Short mmCIF file of all heavy atoms in Angstrom, two decimals:
data_model
loop_
_atom_site.label_atom_id
_atom_site.label_comp_id
_atom_site.label_asym_id
_atom_site.label_seq_id
_atom_site.Cartn_x
_atom_site.Cartn_y
_atom_site.Cartn_z
N VAL A 1 5.88 14.06 -7.90
CA VAL A 1 6.06 13.52 -6.56
C VAL A 1 5.50 12.08 -6.45
O VAL A 1 4.50 11.78 -7.06
CB VAL A 1 5.28 14.47 -5.53
CG1 VAL A 1 5.40 13.90 -4.16
CG2 VAL A 1 5.75 15.89 -5.56
N HIS A 2 6.36 11.21 -5.83
CA HIS A 2 5.94 9.93 -5.50
C HIS A 2 5.82 9.92 -3.97
O HIS A 2 6.74 10.18 -3.26
CB HIS A 2 7.00 8.91 -5.86
CG HIS A 2 7.29 8.84 -7.35
ND1 HIS A 2 6.61 8.01 -8.24
CD2 HIS A 2 8.17 9.52 -8.07
CE1 HIS A 2 7.03 8.22 -9.50
NE2 HIS A 2 7.95 9.14 -9.41
N LEU A 3 4.63 9.68 -3.44
CA LEU A 3 4.30 9.80 -2.04
C LEU A 3 3.82 8.45 -1.43
O LEU A 3 2.83 7.89 -2.03
CB LEU A 3 3.36 10.89 -1.75
CG LEU A 3 3.20 11.32 -0.31
CD1 LEU A 3 2.68 12.82 -0.30
CD2 LEU A 3 2.29 10.51 0.51
N TYR A 4 4.48 7.91 -0.43
CA TYR A 4 4.09 6.67 0.20
C TYR A 4 3.56 7.05 1.66
O TYR A 4 4.31 7.80 2.33
CB TYR A 4 5.21 5.71 0.31
CG TYR A 4 5.88 5.33 -1.10
CD1 TYR A 4 6.85 6.13 -1.64
CD2 TYR A 4 5.38 4.24 -1.71
CE1 TYR A 4 7.33 5.87 -2.79
CE2 TYR A 4 5.95 3.89 -2.89
CZ TYR A 4 6.90 4.71 -3.50
OH TYR A 4 7.46 4.43 -4.76
N THR A 5 2.51 6.59 2.01
CA THR A 5 1.99 6.84 3.39
C THR A 5 2.28 5.52 4.21
O THR A 5 1.81 4.42 3.86
CB THR A 5 0.47 7.01 3.30
OG1 THR A 5 0.17 8.11 2.43
CG2 THR A 5 -0.11 7.33 4.72
N MET A 6 3.02 5.74 5.29
CA MET A 6 3.45 4.61 6.17
C MET A 6 2.55 4.44 7.32
O MET A 6 2.40 3.28 7.81
CB MET A 6 4.89 4.88 6.53
CG MET A 6 5.80 4.83 5.30
SD MET A 6 7.53 4.97 5.68
CE MET A 6 7.68 6.62 6.19
N SER A 7 1.94 5.52 7.81
CA SER A 7 0.98 5.39 8.92
C SER A 7 0.14 6.64 8.89
O SER A 7 0.41 7.60 8.29
CB SER A 7 1.66 5.21 10.28
OG SER A 7 2.36 6.44 10.64
N GLY A 8 -1.01 6.58 9.57
CA GLY A 8 -1.88 7.74 9.67
C GLY A 8 -2.81 7.91 8.46
O GLY A 8 -3.06 6.90 7.72
N CYS A 9 -3.28 9.06 8.23
CA CYS A 9 -4.21 9.33 7.15
C CYS A 9 -4.12 10.77 6.74
O CYS A 9 -3.82 11.64 7.57
CB CYS A 9 -5.68 9.09 7.76
SG CYS A 9 -6.99 9.57 6.62
N TRP A 10 -4.30 11.01 5.43
CA TRP A 10 -4.31 12.34 4.90
C TRP A 10 -5.17 12.37 3.68
O TRP A 10 -5.53 11.31 3.11
CB TRP A 10 -2.87 12.80 4.60
CG TRP A 10 -2.24 12.07 3.51
CD1 TRP A 10 -1.49 11.01 3.57
CD2 TRP A 10 -2.27 12.46 2.05
NE1 TRP A 10 -1.00 10.63 2.32
CE2 TRP A 10 -1.45 11.56 1.38
CE3 TRP A 10 -2.80 13.46 1.32
CZ2 TRP A 10 -1.28 11.50 0.06
CZ3 TRP A 10 -2.61 13.55 -0.04
CH2 TRP A 10 -1.84 12.55 -0.67
N TYR A 11 -5.46 13.58 3.20
CA TYR A 11 -6.37 13.73 2.00
C TYR A 11 -6.06 15.15 1.45
O TYR A 11 -5.59 16.04 2.06
CB TYR A 11 -7.87 13.58 2.30
CG TYR A 11 -8.33 14.59 3.23
CD1 TYR A 11 -8.93 15.67 2.80
CD2 TYR A 11 -8.15 14.49 4.64
CE1 TYR A 11 -9.41 16.77 3.57
CE2 TYR A 11 -8.67 15.40 5.49
CZ TYR A 11 -9.26 16.59 4.97
OH TYR A 11 -9.73 17.52 5.83
N TYR A 12 -6.51 15.32 0.16
CA TYR A 12 -6.45 16.64 -0.47
C TYR A 12 -7.77 17.33 -0.19
O TYR A 12 -8.84 16.68 -0.27
CB TYR A 12 -6.27 16.51 -1.93
CG TYR A 12 -5.01 15.94 -2.42
CD1 TYR A 12 -5.04 14.83 -3.26
CD2 TYR A 12 -3.78 16.40 -2.12
CE1 TYR A 12 -3.86 14.24 -3.76
CE2 TYR A 12 -2.59 15.91 -2.58
CZ TYR A 12 -2.64 14.73 -3.47
OH TYR A 12 -1.54 14.21 -3.87
N THR A 13 -7.76 18.66 0.10
CA THR A 13 -8.98 19.42 0.24
C THR A 13 -9.95 19.18 -0.92
O THR A 13 -11.09 19.04 -0.76
CB THR A 13 -8.65 20.86 0.30
OG1 THR A 13 -7.84 21.08 1.48
CG2 THR A 13 -9.91 21.74 0.48
N GLU A 14 -9.28 19.15 -2.13
CA GLU A 14 -10.10 18.94 -3.35
C GLU A 14 -10.73 17.59 -3.51
O GLU A 14 -11.61 17.45 -4.33
CB GLU A 14 -9.19 19.24 -4.58
CG GLU A 14 -8.55 20.67 -4.55
CD GLU A 14 -7.32 20.80 -3.61
OE1 GLU A 14 -6.84 19.80 -3.12
OE2 GLU A 14 -7.00 21.94 -3.54
N TYR A 15 -10.23 16.55 -2.79
CA TYR A 15 -10.81 15.18 -2.94
C TYR A 15 -10.95 14.62 -1.48
O TYR A 15 -10.20 13.67 -1.13
CB TYR A 15 -9.79 14.38 -3.75
CG TYR A 15 -9.50 14.95 -5.03
CD1 TYR A 15 -8.30 15.65 -5.27
CD2 TYR A 15 -10.45 14.79 -6.06
CE1 TYR A 15 -8.02 16.16 -6.62
CE2 TYR A 15 -10.16 15.32 -7.38
CZ TYR A 15 -8.97 15.98 -7.59
OH TYR A 15 -8.76 16.58 -8.84
N PRO A 16 -11.85 15.20 -0.68
CA PRO A 16 -11.94 14.68 0.72
C PRO A 16 -12.34 13.28 0.93
O PRO A 16 -12.04 12.70 1.93
CB PRO A 16 -13.00 15.63 1.31
CG PRO A 16 -13.81 16.14 0.08
CD PRO A 16 -12.82 16.19 -1.06
N ASP A 17 -12.93 12.69 -0.11
CA ASP A 17 -13.42 11.36 0.03
C ASP A 17 -12.27 10.29 -0.42
O ASP A 17 -12.54 9.12 -0.38
CB ASP A 17 -14.70 11.04 -0.80
CG ASP A 17 -15.83 11.83 -0.29
OD1 ASP A 17 -15.85 12.16 0.98
OD2 ASP A 17 -16.69 12.24 -1.08
N GLN A 18 -11.14 10.77 -0.87
CA GLN A 18 -10.04 9.89 -1.22
C GLN A 18 -8.91 9.92 -0.25
O GLN A 18 -7.79 10.39 -0.46
CB GLN A 18 -9.52 10.33 -2.62
CG GLN A 18 -10.57 10.14 -3.70
CD GLN A 18 -10.03 10.58 -5.07
OE1 GLN A 18 -8.82 10.65 -5.32
NE2 GLN A 18 -10.97 10.90 -6.01
N LYS A 19 -9.23 9.36 0.95
CA LYS A 19 -8.29 9.35 2.02
C LYS A 19 -7.13 8.42 1.71
O LYS A 19 -7.30 7.24 1.14
CB LYS A 19 -8.96 8.84 3.30
CG LYS A 19 -10.17 9.67 3.77
CD LYS A 19 -9.83 10.74 4.66
CE LYS A 19 -10.96 11.43 5.31
NZ LYS A 19 -12.00 12.14 4.57
N GLN A 20 -5.95 8.83 2.01
CA GLN A 20 -4.72 8.01 1.88
C GLN A 20 -4.31 7.52 3.20
O GLN A 20 -4.15 8.27 4.13
CB GLN A 20 -3.58 8.88 1.30
CG GLN A 20 -3.98 9.50 -0.07
CD GLN A 20 -4.21 8.52 -1.13
OE1 GLN A 20 -3.35 7.70 -1.42
NE2 GLN A 20 -5.37 8.61 -1.71
N THR A 21 -4.16 6.22 3.40
CA THR A 21 -3.83 5.60 4.66
C THR A 21 -2.57 4.72 4.57
O THR A 21 -2.03 4.56 3.46
CB THR A 21 -4.97 4.77 5.17
OG1 THR A 21 -5.29 3.75 4.13
CG2 THR A 21 -6.24 5.65 5.39
N ALA A 22 -2.16 4.10 5.65
CA ALA A 22 -0.96 3.23 5.62
C ALA A 22 -0.94 2.32 4.48
O ALA A 22 -1.96 1.58 4.23
CB ALA A 22 -0.89 2.48 6.96
N GLY A 23 0.16 2.25 3.74
CA GLY A 23 0.31 1.35 2.58
C GLY A 23 -0.05 1.98 1.27
O GLY A 23 0.15 1.44 0.20
N CYS A 24 -0.66 3.21 1.31
CA CYS A 24 -1.09 3.81 0.05
C CYS A 24 0.10 4.49 -0.67
O CYS A 24 1.06 5.05 0.04
CB CYS A 24 -2.19 4.88 0.31
SG CYS A 24 -3.74 4.28 0.65
N TYR A 25 0.03 4.47 -2.02
CA TYR A 25 1.03 5.18 -2.80
C TYR A 25 0.18 6.18 -3.73
O TYR A 25 -0.85 5.78 -4.28
CB TYR A 25 1.82 4.23 -3.67
CG TYR A 25 2.46 4.87 -4.88
CD1 TYR A 25 3.66 5.60 -4.74
CD2 TYR A 25 1.90 4.86 -6.12
CE1 TYR A 25 4.28 6.20 -5.80
CE2 TYR A 25 2.53 5.38 -7.25
CZ TYR A 25 3.64 6.13 -7.11
OH TYR A 25 4.28 6.71 -8.17
N ILE A 26 0.75 7.37 -3.93
CA ILE A 26 0.07 8.28 -4.90
C ILE A 26 1.20 8.96 -5.72
O ILE A 26 2.20 9.28 -5.20
CB ILE A 26 -0.83 9.29 -4.17
CG1 ILE A 26 -1.77 9.96 -5.17
CG2 ILE A 26 -0.01 10.27 -3.36
CD1 ILE A 26 -2.97 10.65 -4.51
N PHE A 27 0.82 9.11 -6.96
CA PHE A 27 1.79 9.90 -7.89
C PHE A 27 1.13 11.15 -8.19
O PHE A 27 -0.06 11.30 -8.58
CB PHE A 27 1.82 9.03 -9.32
CG PHE A 27 2.60 9.77 -10.32
CD1 PHE A 27 3.96 9.91 -10.30
CD2 PHE A 27 1.92 10.41 -11.36
CE1 PHE A 27 4.68 10.56 -11.26
CE2 PHE A 27 2.59 11.05 -12.37
CZ PHE A 27 3.98 11.17 -12.36
N GLU A 28 1.94 12.26 -8.03
CA GLU A 28 1.45 13.69 -8.33
C GLU A 28 2.25 14.07 -9.59
O GLU A 28 3.43 14.28 -9.51
CB GLU A 28 1.70 14.53 -7.21
CG GLU A 28 0.99 14.17 -5.91
CD GLU A 28 1.32 15.04 -4.69
OE1 GLU A 28 2.30 15.84 -4.78
OE2 GLU A 28 0.65 14.89 -3.65
N PRO A 29 1.60 14.31 -10.68
CA PRO A 29 2.27 14.73 -11.88
C PRO A 29 2.66 16.16 -11.74
O PRO A 29 2.03 16.98 -10.97
CB PRO A 29 1.25 14.52 -12.97
CG PRO A 29 -0.05 14.54 -12.32
CD PRO A 29 0.14 14.00 -10.97
N GLY A 30 3.68 16.56 -12.40
CA GLY A 30 4.07 18.04 -12.48
C GLY A 30 2.86 18.81 -12.97
O GLY A 30 2.06 18.36 -13.79
N GLY A 31 2.65 19.96 -12.33
CA GLY A 31 1.48 20.80 -12.72
C GLY A 31 0.35 20.55 -11.73
O GLY A 31 -0.68 21.27 -11.86
N SER A 32 0.46 19.65 -10.82
CA SER A 32 -0.58 19.38 -9.90
C SER A 32 -0.78 20.61 -8.95
O SER A 32 0.07 21.18 -8.55
CB SER A 32 -0.39 18.11 -9.01
OG SER A 32 -0.23 16.96 -9.80
N ILE A 33 -2.06 20.95 -8.61
CA ILE A 33 -2.35 21.89 -7.67
C ILE A 33 -3.29 21.37 -6.68
O ILE A 33 -4.34 20.85 -6.98
CB ILE A 33 -3.05 23.19 -8.35
CG1 ILE A 33 -2.14 23.70 -9.40
CG2 ILE A 33 -3.36 24.23 -7.32
CD1 ILE A 33 -2.75 24.76 -10.26
N HIS A 34 -2.94 21.42 -5.36
CA HIS A 34 -3.75 20.92 -4.27
C HIS A 34 -3.38 21.41 -3.00
O HIS A 34 -2.34 22.10 -2.76
CB HIS A 34 -3.76 19.37 -4.35
CG HIS A 34 -2.38 18.80 -4.42
ND1 HIS A 34 -1.96 18.09 -5.51
CD2 HIS A 34 -1.32 18.91 -3.58
CE1 HIS A 34 -0.69 17.75 -5.31
NE2 HIS A 34 -0.33 18.22 -4.22
N GLU A 35 -4.17 21.05 -1.89
CA GLU A 35 -3.91 21.35 -0.52
C GLU A 35 -3.98 20.07 0.26
O GLU A 35 -4.97 19.37 0.19
CB GLU A 35 -5.01 22.36 -0.13
CG GLU A 35 -4.75 22.95 1.30
CD GLU A 35 -5.93 24.00 1.59
OE1 GLU A 35 -7.07 23.60 1.62
OE2 GLU A 35 -5.48 25.17 1.82
N PHE A 36 -2.97 19.83 1.05
CA PHE A 36 -2.74 18.54 1.83
C PHE A 36 -3.34 18.77 3.20
O PHE A 36 -3.06 19.81 3.90
CB PHE A 36 -1.23 18.31 1.88
CG PHE A 36 -0.87 17.11 2.73
CD1 PHE A 36 -0.51 15.88 2.15
CD2 PHE A 36 -0.74 17.27 4.09
CE1 PHE A 36 -0.05 14.78 2.94
CE2 PHE A 36 -0.32 16.19 4.88
CZ PHE A 36 -0.01 14.95 4.28
N ASN A 37 -4.07 17.78 3.73
CA ASN A 37 -4.63 17.88 5.12
C ASN A 37 -4.50 16.49 5.82
O ASN A 37 -4.51 15.50 5.24
CB ASN A 37 -6.12 18.10 5.03
CG ASN A 37 -6.47 19.34 4.30
OD1 ASN A 37 -6.52 20.37 4.96
ND2 ASN A 37 -6.76 19.31 3.06
N THR A 38 -4.23 16.63 7.14
CA THR A 38 -4.38 15.40 8.01
C THR A 38 -5.64 15.66 8.87
O THR A 38 -5.78 16.80 9.42
CB THR A 38 -3.14 15.19 8.86
OG1 THR A 38 -2.92 16.39 9.64
CG2 THR A 38 -1.99 14.84 8.06
N PRO A 39 -6.50 14.75 8.99
CA PRO A 39 -7.66 14.95 9.76
C PRO A 39 -7.42 15.20 11.25
O PRO A 39 -6.47 14.62 11.81
CB PRO A 39 -8.46 13.63 9.62
CG PRO A 39 -7.98 12.96 8.37
CD PRO A 39 -6.54 13.37 8.31
N VAL A 40 -8.12 16.16 11.81
CA VAL A 40 -7.96 16.41 13.22
C VAL A 40 -8.28 15.29 14.11
O VAL A 40 -7.86 15.11 15.18
CB VAL A 40 -8.83 17.76 13.62
CG1 VAL A 40 -10.29 17.40 13.59
CG2 VAL A 40 -8.33 18.29 14.94
N THR A 41 -9.04 14.29 13.48
CA THR A 41 -9.46 13.08 14.28
C THR A 41 -8.45 11.98 14.26
O THR A 41 -8.66 10.99 14.85
CB THR A 41 -10.82 12.56 13.63
OG1 THR A 41 -10.61 12.36 12.29
CG2 THR A 41 -12.03 13.53 13.94
N ASN A 42 -7.29 12.28 13.51
CA ASN A 42 -6.32 11.24 13.52
C ASN A 42 -5.81 10.99 14.96
O ASN A 42 -5.68 11.88 15.77
CB ASN A 42 -5.04 11.62 12.69
CG ASN A 42 -5.14 11.43 11.25
OD1 ASN A 42 -6.20 10.94 10.78
ND2 ASN A 42 -4.18 11.74 10.47
#
């Protein structure tokens, strides 16, 4: 997966301190396991 964040904020449950915000890009390799969240405070 190639994921671009255009606005807002999200993070993986497994990495709560690695927030993804507007302008961020993340590469998820095959075999990745995670849980996606948007903060309730957005």
Side-chain angles (χ1 to χ4, degrees):
V1 176
H2 299 269
L3 194 154
Y4 302 88
T5 304
M6 296 184 288
S7 68
C9 175
W10 67 272
Y11 64 94
Y12 298 122
T13 300
E14 299 79 10
Y15 305 99
D17 296 333
Q18 296 180 22
K19 303 269 192 302
Q20 304 296 305
T21 58
C24 287
Y25 160 80
I26 194 163
F27 172 77
E28 299 176 352
S32 297
I33 302 172
H34 48 245
E35 187 176 63
F36 175 102
N37 300 273
T38 57
V40 71
T41 56
N42 275 4

